[in-house]
């Protein structure tokens, strides 16, 4: 799997400068292998990360390829194809798809491109998706791109839910950055989703995501506040508020955070999301055709998209 734009670089994992020589790199790797080994009390996840970092930049050839923006999961040798906007377009599929409205990841991609142009300097001809450039960008920019990619990935999995579901992307609840990434309506209920990628593992404490990668953000608090605004304006009650995360960011497939105004609050691995939406929450009744039609009509008439 390719890197996330916001994930730590191999240099950061090994704790060395990108200008370090091969001897310094090798010493850092050997020291960290001893310190992080699970048999000596280290973290298995950290131990694996050190191994992966070394595999990418441990040789002169591999390091040179990585520094050129290659060797990060791309087999073509080109700039990372999965970060570009064109790569996010869905492939033709003859299967029945969920009804979908809005542009997933669109607002964040546009903001990323605008801020990236400002950061690199006007008139500079640079590929904004070149991994070598992205890795040097401020965290704010890398996070925008990572979240745009996460939204697009979630949208692809939501489309596969089928005709029984309706999805709205980039739903406005206030200012441009106060949005809900996806609203999903189906037989199992009405769900508000945020697709997040913090570039590292997260944990849960007192109903909120925490961890070094979260960097003080309060994603569930933000989602609950935005869902409250939308629920009042649409007069619709949410079944659950869900934060969708990369599979390696959560230890469990689904983590219950609590509730907000009667809606369950959850953090869910991205691969587990379709099953959750199809099967619903334990103890929840499935909605009938007339009920779904009424709620869908209300949402279709009331939802507005970010601009």
């Amino acid at each position: 799997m390719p890197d996330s734009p916001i994930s730590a670089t191999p240099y950061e994992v090994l704790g060395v400068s990108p200008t370090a020589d091969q001897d310094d790199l090798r010493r850092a790797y050997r020291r960290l292998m001893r310190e992080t080994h699970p048999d000596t009390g280290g973290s298995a996840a950290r131990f694996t990360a050190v191994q992966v970092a070394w595999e990418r930049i441990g040789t002169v050839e591999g390091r040179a390829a990585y520094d050129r923006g290659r060797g990060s999961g791309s087999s073509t040798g080109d700039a990372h194809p999965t970060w570009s906007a064109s790569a996010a377009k869905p492939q033709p599929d003859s299967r029945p798809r969920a009804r979908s409205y809005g542009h997933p990841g669109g607002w964040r991609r546009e903001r990323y491109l605008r801020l990236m142009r400002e950061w690199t300097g006007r008139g500079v001809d640079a590929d904004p998706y070149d991994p070598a450039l992205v890795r040097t960008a401020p965290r704010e920019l890398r996070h925008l791109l990572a979240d745009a990619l996460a939204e697009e990935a979630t949208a692809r999995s939501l489309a596969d839910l089928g005709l029984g579901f309706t999805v709205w992307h980039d739903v406005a609840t206030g200012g441009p950055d106060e949005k809900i990434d996806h609203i999903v309506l189906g037989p199992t209920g009405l769900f508000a989703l945020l697709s997040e990628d913090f570039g590292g593992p997260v944990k849960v404490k007192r109903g909120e995501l925490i961890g070094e990668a979260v960097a003080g953000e309060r994603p569930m608090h933000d989602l609950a506040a935005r869902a409250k605004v939308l629920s009042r304006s649409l007069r619709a009650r949410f079944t659950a508020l869900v934060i969708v995360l990369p599979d390696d960011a959560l230890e469990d497939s689904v983590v219950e955070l609590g509730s907000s105004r009667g809606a369950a609050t959850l953090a869910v691995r991205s691969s587990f999301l379709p099953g959750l939406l199809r099967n619903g929450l334990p103890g929840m009744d499935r909605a009938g055709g007339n009920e779904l039609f009424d709620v869908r009509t209300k949402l279709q008439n009331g939802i507005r998209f970010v601009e």
Side-chain angles (χ1 to χ4, degrees):
M1 292 294 290
D3 286 345
S4 161
I6 199 173
S7 61
T9 69
Y11 296 107
E12 292 170 335
V13 171
L14 296 175
V16 298
S17 166
T19 60
D21 61 32
Q22 286 298 118
D23 288 338
D24 287 339
L25 203 65
R26 188 176 297 104
R27 281 192 290 269
Y29 166 67
R30 289 174 175 172
R31 174 178 56 82
L32 287 172
M33 286 294 286
R34 293 192 300 270
E35 293 177 358
T36 63
H37 200 289
D39 291 345
T40 58
S43 162
R46 177 78 170 133
F47 182 71
T48 300
V50 171
Q51 290 179 304
V52 172
W54 179 252
E55 288 173 1
R56 290 181 173 170
I57 63 172
T59 66
V60 174
E61 297 79 8
R63 183 178 181 181
Y66 182 86
D67 289 344
R68 290 195 302 270
R70 302 174 182 178
S72 302
S74 170
S75 61
T76 64
D78 297 325
H80 208 307
T82 56
W83 290 2
S84 66
S86 59
K89 295 180 180 179
Q91 299 298 315
D93 194 332
S94 59
R95 294 175 298 175
R97 314 284 279 178
R99 282 166 285 197
S100 179
Y101 305 91
H103 187 181
W107 181 84
R108 281 200 166 90
R109 274 203 184 266
E110 290 180 5
R111 182 171 175 81
Y112 166 78
L113 291 173
R114 177 169 59 81
L115 293 178
M116 179 61 89
R117 284 194 294 268
E118 293 177 1
W119 178 70
T120 56
R122 296 190 181 278
V124 175
D125 185 16
D127 176 5
Y129 299 115
D130 177 5
L133 176 64
V134 173
R135 291 186 196 112
T136 63
R139 184 182 189 278
E140 176 191 2
L141 294 187
R142 292 184 287 123
H143 198 180
L144 280 170
L145 179 56
D147 278 351
L149 293 165
E151 290 179 37
E152 292 160 359
T154 298
R156 289 191 291 272
S157 68
L158 295 177
D160 291 336
L161 291 173
L163 290 175
F165 289 82
T166 306
V167 186
W168 295 265
H169 304 288
D170 266 5
V171 176
T173 67
D177 58 344
E178 297 173 352
K179 72 183 184 74
I180 297 177
D181 298 338
H182 324 273
I183 301 293
V184 182
L185 175 66
T188 55
L190 180 62
F191 299 81
L193 278 58
L194 285 187
S195 296
E196 294 282 358
D197 181 357
F198 297 105
V202 302
K203 295 185 180 296
V204 173
K205 183 178 181 181
R206 296 178 181 176
E208 187 57 274
L209 301 185
I210 61 169
E212 182 179 352
V214 180
E217 297 183 41
R218 302 174 65 193
M220 183 50 74
H221 173 272
D222 293 342
L223 177 56
R226 297 167 193 175
K228 178 181 177 181
V229 171
L230 201 61
S231 180
R232 284 181 172 178
S233 65
L234 299 177
R235 296 183 180 180
R237 179 176 296 180
F238 285 102
T239 305
L241 314 180
V242 182
I243 298 178
V244 186
L245 295 162
D247 281 4
D248 57 1
L250 276 180
E251 292 183 357
D252 300 309
S253 297
V254 57
V255 179
E256 296 183 10
L257 279 68
S259 64
S260 175
R261 297 175 63 85
T265 57
L266 312 167
V268 176
R269 286 180 177 176
S270 58
S271 64
F272 189 77
L273 179 65
L276 173 70
L277 296 175
R278 287 193 180 100
N279 299 326
L281 303 178
M284 290 288 183
D285 295 330
R286 298 179 73 87
N290 290 337
E291 182 182 355
L292 275 178
F293 178 81
D294 292 341
V295 177
R296 185 185 301 116
T297 300
K298 187 185 300 183
L299 268 58
Q300 192 67 13
N301 291 336
I303 280 180
R304 299 292 179 266
F305 301 101
V306 295
E307 299 179 355

